[in-house]
Amino acid sequence: MEATFQPLGDQAVVVQFGTTMSLEAYQQVRQVASMLDRQPIPGMVEYIPAYTTITIFYNPQVVYDWYQSQGTKEREQDADSLYQICCNLIREQLNHAEHQSERADRTIEIPVCYGGELGPDLGDVAELNQLTEQEVIDIHAGGDYLIYMIGFAPGFPYIGGMSERIAAPRRKSPRLSIPSGSVGIAGKQTGIYPMETPGGWQIIGRTPLRLFRPEDDPPSLLQAGDRVRFYPISYDEFLAFEEGSS
Amino acid sequence: MTVRVIRPGLLTSVQDAGRYGFQKHGVIVSGVMDPLAHRLANMLVGNEELAATLEMTLRGPTLEFQEDALISICGGDLSPTVAGVSVPLWKPILLRKGSVLDFGQCRTGTRAYLAIAGGWNVPLVMNSRSTYLRAGIGGHEGRALRTGDELQAGELTGLGGRIAMRLSIQSGGTSFVASEWGIAKEMLPSYSSEPLIRVMRGNQYEWFTADSHNAFFSEPYRVTPQSDRMGYRLDGPKLELTEQSELISEAVAFGTVQVPAEGNPIVLLADRQTTGGYPKIAQIATVDLPLMAQSKPGDWIRFAEISREEAEWLWMLRESEIRQLKMGILLKNA
């Protein structure tokens, strides 16, 4: 798939692979990430990989200084802005990137207490899809999932592979506070809130697992590329799990 | 060098330029809301640019300095005083041992930055001293300051030592000495309760209706009380999409203006999430982030469109002014 480039303001480039979520786009994003790990472009501050995009943040001063240090021959190529210089650098590296093999998959099992006060939007999700709450739970816990990206909050996994039968749009207005461990649905995506934060997803349950671990390196339990399965637990099991881990 | 917190103020936290490099794990950048005031404050006391300052919000703290200290205060005017005497902003200040620095009402802006020569010495967490309030990590014990906290300053630099030395032989008040030089007037940001914020079109700009485009650039938006370090929720003419479509989550940045379905824009700031799924109507030019971050609930924001090239050029211009200033400070204190 062809990469397209867009600016995100005056200090970042968004490299995009298509406009729909696909395994192919995901693999291309992973490839750019591993390419940048091996050889960051001059001035790169960091990158954020997502489903179909990888956004590269740069320090314009470093990019400018690098550009000035180049011979006139290199500078002849079409670059009327620092953004263009970055795009050219990324494009050039993409053309020379070798295919890297993905690391082996891990599968992580995630216990979830569905519905009730831990999953206040389970009823709405069921109603939107003309299902019973139990059917939503069965479908959600019955799927095999892949983590496409970690984002939005520390250790927050964006998980692909959810059945469209339980899809639900984001809430019209984000909630000001969603408790840590909440499992949600937004469109065709499902995810888990690793810490208390505002957010707009429909909340269907909660896991007692700790996803953000600032004392560890990497600080996130889940990594892009992990496989995930959910299994239902009761409210009592949820409480017991929380006590056991604290 | 110890500083004791007598009164913590509304929200006072240790921040540096931000925690970069961990956004791919979803760890937010944090850091100062007004990067320019923070940077200038550090420069005035001879600090490295990476040093941490105290970010003070609307109602500042009361701090007792247990030794002589070289400090500077930049950003919003929160009426700093020592022993009832006004302390000037945007200048190096030598505080005498035992001085109590107090803050009063907020006259301009929202946040002020207190730099101390040597920087505030808190442990590095993931390469940064910034307080990540929601996660409880970084800064001083991962939280805003409280009464009774004690903060330490790091080792001052050679330049910081020379600035302090010159001030110590200059005559001045009994409790502090203000330098004769400081940031030139032309370089001072003009904080306003009706700031004009320059933006570039966001990547989903075309998703919005023509009426929304017009409204966004012609009508003022009010900063609502649901505004904090994470982002400001604005209130004004509703912004609507030409058709209902869901965006696939992707990276956001400092100054991204995103619009949830209800139609009121949200400006993402220092404690923003790393990625988001709401359409982005605009992105604030980096040079204007300080003006946005210094606005407060009740203020009226107007947006003006500029091109990315202009935004880059304005940024380069700002950087060259900062380099000149840095050179000036070095020469003055050679």
Side-chain angles (χ1 to χ4, degrees), chain A residues 10-11 58-69 80-83 85-86, chain B residues 36 39 187 198 285-288 306-325:
Chain A
D10 49 28
Q11 308 200 347
Y58 54 88
N59 178 332
Q61 187 68 52
V62 182
V63 174
Y64 179 79
D65 293 344
W66 173 86
Y67 189 65
Q68 292 300 318
S69 72
D80 52 4
S81 64
L82 296 170
Y83 165 73
I85 296 170
C86 287
Chain B
L36 179 64
R39 229 169 134 189
M187 212 180 156
R198 290 168 291 187
T286 302
V287 285
D288 279 353
I306 60 170
S307 68
R308 193 193 60 251
E309 286 78 5
E310 277 177 277
E312 279 187 358
W313 187 78
L314 288 167
W315 187 86
M316 295 292 283
L317 207 64
R318 168 80 51 83
E319 287 302 301
S320 104
E321 283 172 356
I322 290 175
R323 270 198 304 279
Q324 280 175 34
L325 176 66

Side-chain angles (χ1 to χ4, degrees), chain A residues 5-6 20 22 27 31 44 55 57 60 111 154 157 174 188 207 217 240:
Chain A
F5 293 74
Q6 291 172 308
T20 50
S22 70
Q27 278 158 350
Q31 242 180 69
M44 183 174 100
T55 302
F57 293 81
K188 290 179 267 178
T207 178
D217 185 22

Side-chain angles (χ1 to χ4, degrees), chain A:
Chain A
M1 213 181 296
E2 197 63 28
T4 57
F5 293 74
Q6 291 172 308
L8 174 60
D10 49 28
Q11 308 200 347
V13 183
V14 185
V15 183
Q16 182 161 7
F17 298 98
T19 52
T20 50
M21 277 157 56
S22 70
L23 206 56
E24 193 194 349
Y26 158 80
Q27 278 158 350
Q28 279 178 301
V29 166
R30 303 284 306 150
Q31 242 180 69
V32 178
S34 84
M35 175 194 93
L36 292 170
D37 284 339
R38 278 173 285 136
Q39 194 191 347
I41 63 159
M44 183 174 100
V45 175
E46 64 180 320
Y47 63 78
I48 303 181
Y51 286 105
T52 60
T53 59
I54 179 162
T55 302
I56 297 148
F57 293 81
Y58 54 88
N59 178 332
Q61 187 68 52
V62 182
V63 174
Y64 179 79
D65 293 344
W66 173 86
Y67 189 65
Q68 292 300 318
S69 72
Q70 297 300 295
T72 40
K73 189 162 160 279
E74 285 80 359
R75 280 199 264 150
E76 267 168 27
Q77 48 174 310
D78 172 39
D80 52 4
S81 64
L82 296 170
Y83 165 73
Q84 277 303 333
I85 296 170
C86 287
C87 290
N88 291 344
L89 281 164
I90 297 162
R91 204 173 278 126
E92 206 165 296
Q93 281 201 25
L94 280 177
N95 293 338
H96 294 99
E98 315 134 44
H99 195 90
Q100 292 281 306
S101 57
E102 282 287 314
R103 67 185 165 79
D105 290 343
R106 305 189 299 173
T107 298
I108 296 179
E109 307 256 333
I110 297 179
V112 180
C113 176
Y114 289 99
E117 61 178 283
L118 304 187
D121 301 326
L122 180 65
D124 285 352
V125 172
E127 199 175 321
L128 272 165
N129 290 288
Q130 294 168 327
L131 297 168
T132 65
E133 293 193 2
Q134 189 56 47
E135 283 170 324
V136 174
I137 296 172
D138 291 344
I139 293 168
H140 191 262
D144 278 317
Y145 300 93
L146 175 66
I147 296 183
Y148 281 81
M149 59 184 260
I150 304 290
F152 172 71
F156 183 101
Y158 282 81
I159 301 171
M162 194 185 76
S163 165
E164 291 195 23
R165 292 166 59 208
I166 55 171
R170 284 182 177 78
R171 292 170 53 82
K172 279 224 165 15
S173 176
R175 280 198 177 91
L176 288 174
S177 170
I178 290 178
S180 154
S182 291
V183 175
I185 289 175
K188 290 179 267 178
Q189 311 170 59
T190 183
I192 310 163
Y193 282 83
M195 54 192 287
E196 193 184 315
T197 174
W201 293 39
Q202 310 272 5
I203 303 305
I204 60 165
R206 201 184 299 175
T207 178
L209 286 187
R210 255 180 82 231
L211 270 64
F212 176 46
R213 304 172 174 205
E215 64 283 2
D216 293 348
D217 185 22
S220 171
L221 170 71
L222 304 171
Q223 301 294 315
D226 285 345
R227 298 200 167 271
V228 163
R229 247 177 246 132
F230 297 102
Y231 65 95
I233 57 171
S234 68
Y235 187 64
D236 287 342
E237 286 172 308
F238 177 88
L239 293 178
F241 203 110
E242 276 208 317
E243 273 170 23
S245 62
S246 63

Side-chain angles (χ1 to χ4, degrees), chain B residues 55 67 95-97 104 122 133 163 165 174 178 184 192-193 199 219 226 237 244 249 251 269-270 279 295 309 314 319:
Chain B
E55 182 178 274
E67 285 163 57
L95 288 181
R96 298 294 185 196
K97 178 180 173 176
V122 297
L133 294 162
I163 298 172
M165 179 64 76
T174 46
S192 161
S193 55
V199 301
E219 301 293 326
Q226 284 92 43
Q244 204 51 48
S249 290
L269 298 167
S295 67
E309 286 78 5
L314 288 167
E319 287 302 301

